[in-house]
Amino acid sequence: ALIARVADILEAAGLRGALIGGQAVNAWVELRITFDIDIEVVPDGASVRDVVDRFREQGFRVLIKQDPGERSGPDFVRLSDIETSVELDMQVAKTEFESGVIERAVLTSGQRIPVATPEDLIVLKLLASRGKDMKDLYDLGALPEIDWAYVEHWCGVWEITERLEQLRRSLAEDAARLGELFS
């Protein structure tokens, strides 16, 4: 319900965005518990500032607002829904990759806000490289038909190819172990 409210607020402000983070991963793989919502939005300063005001009007409070005063709007805003205490992290797309995440995002079953593709989520999770991202990386990496060339390209741009290689090795080792168990 909270994601639907976020979608309504973005729509009312005319601000395009994409669901990223754990909630986006949940759209592609087995659900896991996640306690926040992450979105990436286009760098339209007036709309970004408008959407922050609309979030406030709809019962959110601003916890962090990194706003260098650029035309593209704040770089990052963390809000909290006063009723549920669920936090919403809103990042403004500042790079070609981040803009592409929004462009490539698709509507999935049950979501009213476009969801980042598995490939983009893999790159984002490899960039973050936190312990809690490892299960997401394994689950996403095990999906059929991942465009690994796309992932490799962006990992090269972000200079995280080594992380990707480690993930792919681990996925291959796990697949081999499963094959041995069931052969």
Side-chain angles (χ1 to χ4, degrees):
L2 189 55
I3 294 173
R5 280 182 49 211
V6 169
D8 288 342
I9 293 167
L10 290 174
E11 188 176 298
L15 187 63
R16 288 181 333 139
L19 190 62
I20 59 175
Q23 297 290 348
V25 172
N26 284 344
W28 299 110
V29 300
E30 184 177 316
L31 296 179
R32 72 163 172 88
I33 295 175
T34 182
F35 298 103
D36 66 349
I37 299 170
D38 302 288
I39 58 173
E40 184 95 41
V41 297
V42 296
D44 177 343
S47 294
V48 171
R49 289 180 181 91
D50 181 38
V51 86
V52 171
D53 290 340
R54 288 173 187 267
F55 276 120
R56 282 187 181 127
E57 292 167 6
Q58 294 295 318
F60 287 79
R61 68 172 195 256
V62 175
L63 302 177
I64 299 171
K65 185 176 180 185
Q66 297 173 343
D67 190 351
E70 295 178 19
R71 286 185 9 206
S72 59
D75 292 336
F76 174 82
V77 181
R78 175 169 289 151
L79 302 119
S80 178
D81 178 50
I82 293 170
E83 183 180 320
T84 64
S85 297
V86 172
E87 291 184 359
L88 167 68
D89 288 347
M90 182 173 64
Q91 300 175 67
V92 176
K94 301 285 184 168
T95 68
E96 179 185 350
F97 172 71
E98 291 170 318
S99 294
V101 168
I102 296 167
E103 292 300 319
R104 288 171 40 93
V106 297
L107 285 173
T108 62
S109 177
Q111 293 294 352
R112 291 195 28 241
I113 183 170
V115 177
T117 65
E119 291 85 356
D120 287 326
L121 290 168
I122 289 171
V123 175
L124 289 167
K125 295 287 183 177
L126 286 169
L127 279 166
S129 196
R130 301 166 299 190
K132 67 181 183 177
D133 294 316
M134 295 314 298
K135 180 174 181 344
D136 293 342
L137 282 164
Y138 276 89
D139 290 346
L140 291 165
L143 290 172
E145 301 180 24
I146 293 292
D147 183 351
W148 288 109
Y150 174 86
V151 175
E152 289 168 8
H153 167 77
W154 284 108
C155 285
V157 170
W158 291 109
E159 298 180 356
I160 55 171
T161 302
E162 208 170 285
R163 294 177 192 171
L164 174 61
E165 290 170 355
Q166 182 179 354
L167 171 65
R168 304 251 350 239
R169 275 193 307 272
S170 295
L171 288 167
E173 290 167 3
D174 286 350
R177 277 193 293 274
L178 282 173
E180 290 172 11
L181 282 173
F182 295 104
S183 60

